Amino acid sequence: EDKVVQSPLSLVVHEGDTVTLNCSYEVTNFRSLLWYKQEKKAPTFLFMLTSSGIEKKSGRLSSILDKKELFSILNITATQTGDSAVYLCAVNFPGNTDKLIFGTGTRLQVFP
Amino acid sequence: SQTIHQWPATLVQPVGSPLSLECTVEGTSNPNLYWYRQAAGRGLQLLFYSVGIGQISSEVPQNLSASRPQDRQFILSSKKLLLSDSGFYLCAWSGLAANEETQYFGPGTRLLVL
């Protein structure tokens, strides 16, 4: 059965800390891995990763994929209270349409 | 640019009542459209997806149905709501107008069935 597992489930840190969120997957056919940030409402897109070892970076956020070991990490440096959210990982596998399998998410809380 | 709308934002319905949630996309043609449900503390579960008008695929057996009467309109319905239908319903789109493999989400509808 295809699945995506995220860890930790929840994380509480202080502003300025660096955090690493993990996403491992087991899918029969892999096309890409996506990271989303979900605050109160809709998930917003962060990164899409398709190739191993190539880091994607946006400000204080970065992500990398390891297709051999079937996992990805999302790093956030110098965390701010505005980073507080649920971070979702999803894997896209090819088919008739682009279906995503989501993990349950990591809830990050950043306190001042 | 593309935008996706959902309404209503919040809905409280009694058990056994009907449901109709609407999703529309602007700024693109022939998008793939998706309905997800997110139960409290859980991940997103794909309910339906559509690759074109009148084409609906169901991912899980359930009390809900979906329809796509127009290219950029996706509707989630139920004839009789159950308590277990409570949750946060998200519509998403993907397509050639953006990175084809990335799905972009609407603001969601929070449904509470009492």
Side-chain angles (χ1 to χ4, degrees):
Chain A
E1 181 185 344
D2 297 328
K3 62 180 180 180
V4 178
V5 179
Q6 291 185 247
S7 63
L9 294 178
S10 182
L11 193 54
V12 180
V13 300
H14 290 289
E15 272 192 319
D17 289 348
T18 294
V19 297
T20 298
L21 310 183
N22 302 290
C23 175
S24 63
Y25 60 91
E26 294 177 24
V27 295
T28 50
N29 291 297
F30 175 88
R31 187 168 177 179
S32 58
L33 184 145
L34 293 85
W35 284 97
Y36 289 85
K37 177 183 181 182
Q38 185 177 25
E39 295 175 83
K40 299 285 186 193
K41 292 190 175 182
T44 54
F45 172 73
L46 295 175
F47 299 111
M48 186 179 78
L49 304 159
T50 55
S51 302
S52 277
I54 298 175
E55 185 182 54
K56 292 278 184 92
K57 197 169 172 66
S58 176
R60 296 175 293 103
L61 278 66
S62 63
S63 184
I64 198 162
L65 174 67
D66 186 327
K67 290 169 75 172
K68 183 180 177 184
E69 300 297 331
L70 308 183
F71 77 91
S72 173
I73 59 172
L74 175 67
N75 279 319
I76 309 175
T77 58
T79 52
Q80 302 172 358
T81 54
D83 295 326
S84 298
V86 174
Y87 289 84
L88 297 168
C89 171
V91 172
N92 181 307
F93 56 97
N96 187 39
T97 187
D98 291 296
K99 292 195 275 190
L100 295 178
I101 300 175
F102 280 86
T104 53
T106 292
R107 180 173 296 278
L108 173 65
Q109 293 177 275
V110 182
F111 287 100
Chain B
S1 64
Q2 299 79 35
T3 54
I4 178 168
H5 304 278
Q6 286 185 246
W7 63 91
T10 303
L11 193 58
V12 181
Q13 292 279 87
V15 169
S17 64
L19 173 75
S20 181
L21 304 182
E22 192 161 341
C23 169
T24 58
V25 181
E26 295 177 358
T28 185
S29 297
N30 197 32
N32 295 328
L33 296 172
Y34 310 83
W35 277 112
Y36 289 88
R37 176 170 57 208
Q38 187 175 35
R42 301 183 65 179
L44 275 70
Q45 180 186 36
L46 179 63
L47 302 176
F48 300 96
Y49 68 90
S50 171
V51 299
I53 296 174
Q55 301 179 61
I56 308 295
S57 295
S58 174
E59 286 296 293
V60 293
Q62 61 200 299
N63 183 43
L64 302 167
S65 62
S67 62
R68 186 169 176 176
Q70 299 179 49
D71 182 45
R72 290 169 288 177
Q73 184 185 30
F74 206 21
I75 297 172
L76 185 69
S77 304
S78 173
K79 292 182 180 178
K80 286 187 177 182
L81 282 169
L82 306 172
L83 287 174
S84 57
D85 292 325
S86 294
F88 188 44
Y89 288 84
L90 287 158
C91 180
W93 75 274
S94 68
L96 293 174
N99 185 319
E100 193 173 0
E101 296 171 41
T102 302
Q103 293 181 19
Y104 298 91
F105 289 85
T109 294
R110 203 166 294 281
L111 172 66
L112 179 61
V113 182
L114 300 175

